[in-house]
Amino acid sequence: MAETMTEAPFAHWLFLYGTMILYILIGLVGLWLSARWRGDGDKPRGRKTKPPDPAAQDFTLPAN
Amino acid sequence: MIIAFVLYLVGIAALTVVSMRGGMTSTSEFLLAGRRIGPIGTAISAAASARSASAMIGQAGLAFMMGFQALWIVFAYTLLEYLAMLFLMGPRLRRFSSRRDAITIPEYLEARFVDSRNMLRGVCAILLVVFMVAYIVSQYVGMSFTITQVLGLPLVPSIVLAAILTGAYTTLGGYKAVVYTDVMQGCLMLTAMVVVPVLAWQTVGGLGQVWVRLDELGGRDLSGIVGSGGYAFAFGMLFAGLGAFGNPHIIVRYMAIRSVRDFRIAAFINLIFNVIISWGGIMLGLAGRVLYQDVEQLPLANAETIFFHVSLAMIPSDFLVGILWAGVFAAMMSSADSMILVVTSSVSRDLYQKIIKRGAEVAESTMVRLNRWVVVLTVLASLVLTFFMEKSALAIALFAWGGLGGALGPVVLLSLWWQRMTKWGALGGLLGGLTMAIVWRSSEVLRGVLVYEALPAFAFSLVVAITVSLMTTPPPDATLADDLRPPAGEEEDRPVQLV
């Protein structure tokens, strides 16, 4: 009888390899998510706070 | 093989010398390296300390005996340790402990609940000493076994050598030496748990062949994702992960990290490390069962020798085998040194300096000397106990993991997130969780319902802590919220809007 490649059930593939991949993905997602959190003294990424524009607030009354 | 082991010991000695540069001038320096450990050191040290012989050889042995369903045991603790470090415990514990100058877990509890009577500190410190010494004993038993295999020494000198090795660098270099050696040991552990499982897996022909052969050997009990115990048994194994929250030799690393921001990288490295070690151990056990169909074929008819047996059989170079076996030894050493430091901090800082010598000024140089002597005494006490408790080492380690996870874990976790919690609730949680763990382990009837006591102890501790807290009044603590959370205006704990 010719030998054939034995395939485990897909469930087992998921159970062993799939969970390993899942956990690594969880770690990568967590790394990405936590990089967007503000840290001690850090400004958040993508949410730059601009200082108020002095010129916009500086108005002078028209001279009468 | 002996040359590889000697090289490993030389590495330990060299790192100890490096760690001692700059001197050791304070208790904070000795116990937490002055809170200057970066993310890589924290991550690998935490994982190496958490993964002792139980991960390296115990899980491989479990997979050998139980087949695929042994994998259930790794899911929970891997994820929970990651979440604890990244979010649930790490940042808040680091922030609070540095603001209130707490350098031990009992000290954190005292500061958190403003316990001027040292009651929480005392109870927690005694709990830690008892459990950690028991844990150390289990590590010494494992280390002595490895030494007998590598060096061919009889058991008694092996145990003594194991104790001397861990005691020496912990005494001299404190937490910094522990972390530096843990990083080296962690790399060895990784190497061992990649090389040997991969070799074994390739030899047996991969997942398909493993599944077929295990099915032939033991039917569903070996080849099934769940065995004849069904999903109830599998979920029961998940609850072993609850120990991740309450083991002080792991969570003390959260207090020592350089900055709260470093948790992001540390948690990720820790997760990857745990995945490789844990899945590698399981795959080794599965492949080992295919290679050696019966446990009687293994040395001492002990499934936990599968790592040693497979590496000897598959790797022609004695030197390489020695390096890999040093990885197993390193796993136990990295756990034992951390546990020794926890005992040291509990005895010298909590019980002696803050309770016995309460109100008195104790010079830092005196405390550093005391710390070193306590390390020596801890090692000696553990050594003596090893000779009496050698046969039940694994059972002791399992109980310590579950008992501490059930008693300390919920209390620390709740204290970081629920400001209404009171010191009486914390005390109730500690004692309630401990009592439940003891009762559950002692009762065959209860263990027939759920084999591992971690879940009932955890749940009972939570219930008691919450109930008693609601029945008592917390002392006023104006800065509690600020010391737990990031400064006003900085939302460290809440994720930024993604869109």
Side-chain angles (χ1 to χ4, degrees):
Chain A
M1 189 190 302
E3 283 196 13
T4 55
M5 183 76 94
T6 307
E7 293 288 336
F10 185 60
H12 282 67
W13 192 97
L14 277 181
F15 187 61
L16 184 63
Y17 297 138
T19 52
M20 201 188 308
I21 295 167
L22 174 66
Y23 272 57
I24 294 171
L25 284 174
I26 288 172
L28 288 170
V29 169
L31 196 61
W32 178 67
L33 278 177
S34 61
R36 299 182 66 86
W37 297 351
R38 291 192 236 197
D40 290 320
D42 285 342
K43 290 198 178 120
R45 293 188 184 183
R47 199 192 264 188
K48 291 179 184 166
T49 51
K50 293 181 185 172
D53 181 3
Q57 296 176 21
D58 182 22
F59 57 91
T60 48
L61 292 173
N64 284 332
Chain B
M1 211 184 290
I2 294 178
I3 296 172
F5 195 73
V6 169
L7 275 178
Y8 163 72
L9 296 180
V10 168
I12 297 282
L15 288 170
T16 306
V17 170
V18 168
S19 72
M20 290 171 68
R21 282 187 316 184
M24 194 78 62
T25 55
S26 69
T27 300
S28 173
E29 194 63 43
F30 189 87
L31 296 177
L32 288 183
R35 296 189 211 265
R36 288 196 306 274
I37 303 298
I40 294 176
T42 299
I44 297 180
S45 178
S49 298
R51 303 286 85 76
S52 65
S54 64
M56 301 289 287
I57 57 179
Q59 272 164 206
L62 196 69
F64 186 98
M65 299 304 291
M66 294 176 63
F68 280 96
Q69 58 182 324
L71 192 59
W72 286 99
I73 205 167
V74 312
F75 291 153
Y77 74 69
T78 308
L79 185 62
L80 292 178
E81 275 181 29
Y82 170 68
L83 291 175
M85 186 179 278
L86 179 67
F87 175 63
L88 291 173
M89 280 186 150
R92 290 190 167 216
L93 190 57
R94 169 59 170 88
R95 189 182 305 116
F96 189 92
S97 65
S98 63
R99 286 178 187 172
R100 302 231 180 159
D101 195 29
I103 61 175
T104 69
I105 304 294
E107 191 158 52
Y108 156 73
L109 288 177
E110 180 173 278
R112 166 65 181 82
F113 296 108
V114 197
D115 177 23
S116 54
R117 293 186 195 173
N118 305 131
M119 187 179 52
L120 263 178
R121 185 197 287 262
V123 168
C124 186
I126 292 169
L127 200 72
L128 294 189
V129 168
V130 170
F131 275 108
M132 287 289 111
V133 167
Y135 241 141
I136 295 165
V137 165
S138 68
Q139 302 310 308
Y140 282 169
V141 169
M143 285 162 70
S144 62
F145 177 76
T146 313
I147 293 174
T148 58
Q149 296 285 309
V150 173
L151 300 179
L153 289 176
L155 186 64
V156 170
S158 299
I159 294 175
V160 172
L161 185 59
I164 289 173
L165 288 171
T166 46
Y169 67 81
T170 310
T171 304
L172 292 171
Y175 185 77
K176 208 193 293 186
V178 164
V179 170
Y180 285 13
T181 54
D182 279 358
V183 170
M184 183 191 92
Q185 289 167 145
C187 294
L188 279 174
M189 288 162 66
L190 262 184
T191 307
M193 292 318 276
V194 168
V195 169
V196 180
V198 165
L199 274 178
W201 204 248
Q202 282 187 330
T203 303
V204 301
L207 179 60
Q209 283 297 320
V210 169
W211 173 70
V212 164
R213 295 300 307 279
L214 289 184
D215 199 49
E216 287 168 6
L217 277 170
R220 187 184 157 200
D221 277 339
L222 284 183
S223 68
I225 289 172
V226 291
S228 49
Y231 279 101
F233 182 75
F235 288 152
M237 306 247 289
L238 282 179
F239 295 123
L242 291 172
F245 292 122
N247 277 271
H249 59 296
I250 303 169
I251 62 178
V252 76
R253 272 145 178 80
Y254 305 158
M255 297 163 72
I257 199 169
R258 186 176 52 198
S259 136
V260 174
R261 294 195 61 210
D262 286 342
F263 279 115
R264 299 168 193 163
I265 302 294
F268 179 71
I269 295 171
N270 182 271
L271 177 70
I272 299 303
F273 187 97
N274 276 331
V275 165
I276 293 172
I277 295 276
S278 303
W279 267 252
I282 297 295
M283 288 169 71
L284 172 62
L286 294 175
R289 187 62 187 264
V290 172
L291 292 169
Y292 307 99
Q293 291 80 35
D294 197 297
V295 71
E296 299 296 326
Q297 292 189 33
L298 297 178
L300 308 174
N302 183 348
E304 291 184 3
T305 60
I306 187 64
F307 175 89
F308 302 104
H309 202 57
V310 166
S311 54
L312 265 179
M314 297 202 168
I315 298 170
S317 160
D318 272 358
F319 179 77
L320 275 177
V321 170
I323 294 285
L324 296 174
W325 286 19
V328 176
F329 190 81
M332 293 176 264
M333 212 156 157
S334 60
S335 300
D337 57 24
S338 307
M339 294 164 187
I340 290 168
L341 266 189
V342 170
V343 174
T344 301
S345 67
S346 296
V347 171
S348 63
R349 172 82 169 183
D350 294 311
L351 294 175
Y352 178 77
Q353 185 180 16
K354 296 295 182 177
I355 294 180
I356 295 172
K357 287 288 185 181
R358 184 180 165 177
E361 275 293 321
V362 184
E364 283 296 338
S365 55
T366 305
M367 285 306 302
V368 171
R369 261 199 315 276
L370 177 66
N371 283 325
R372 290 185 160 136
W373 273 112
V374 173
V375 168
V376 171
L377 288 171
T378 303
V379 167
L380 282 174
S382 305
L383 184 58
V384 168
L385 285 170
T386 302
F387 293 115
F388 293 105
M389 293 157 74
E390 178 216 330
K391 296 272 181 275
S392 42
L394 179 60
I396 291 166
L398 279 174
F399 178 66
W401 176 267
L404 275 175
L408 188 63
V411 169
V412 175
L413 200 52
L414 206 55
S415 71
L416 291 169
W417 290 95
W418 190 38
Q419 292 173 29
R420 178 65 181 78
M421 191 176 183
T422 68
K423 73 177 179 188
W424 298 109
L427 191 62
L430 277 178
L431 296 175
L434 174 67
T435 306
M436 179 57 81
I438 293 171
V439 164
W440 203 274
R441 175 139 288 258
S442 315
S443 163
E444 282 196 29
V445 170
L446 290 174
R447 275 187 293 137
V449 172
L450 187 65
V451 71
Y452 199 41
E453 61 274 3
L455 174 64
F458 193 96
F460 190 67
S461 173
L462 266 183
V463 166
V464 171
I466 291 170
T467 306
V468 174
S469 292
L470 289 173
M471 291 163 60
T472 48
T473 310
D477 190 341
T479 63
L480 175 62
D482 290 336
D483 288 345
L484 282 173
R485 293 180 55 79
E490 292 178 14
E491 299 161 13
E492 182 182 347
D493 295 324
R494 292 199 295 275
V496 168
Q497 297 284 332
L498 296 180
V499 291

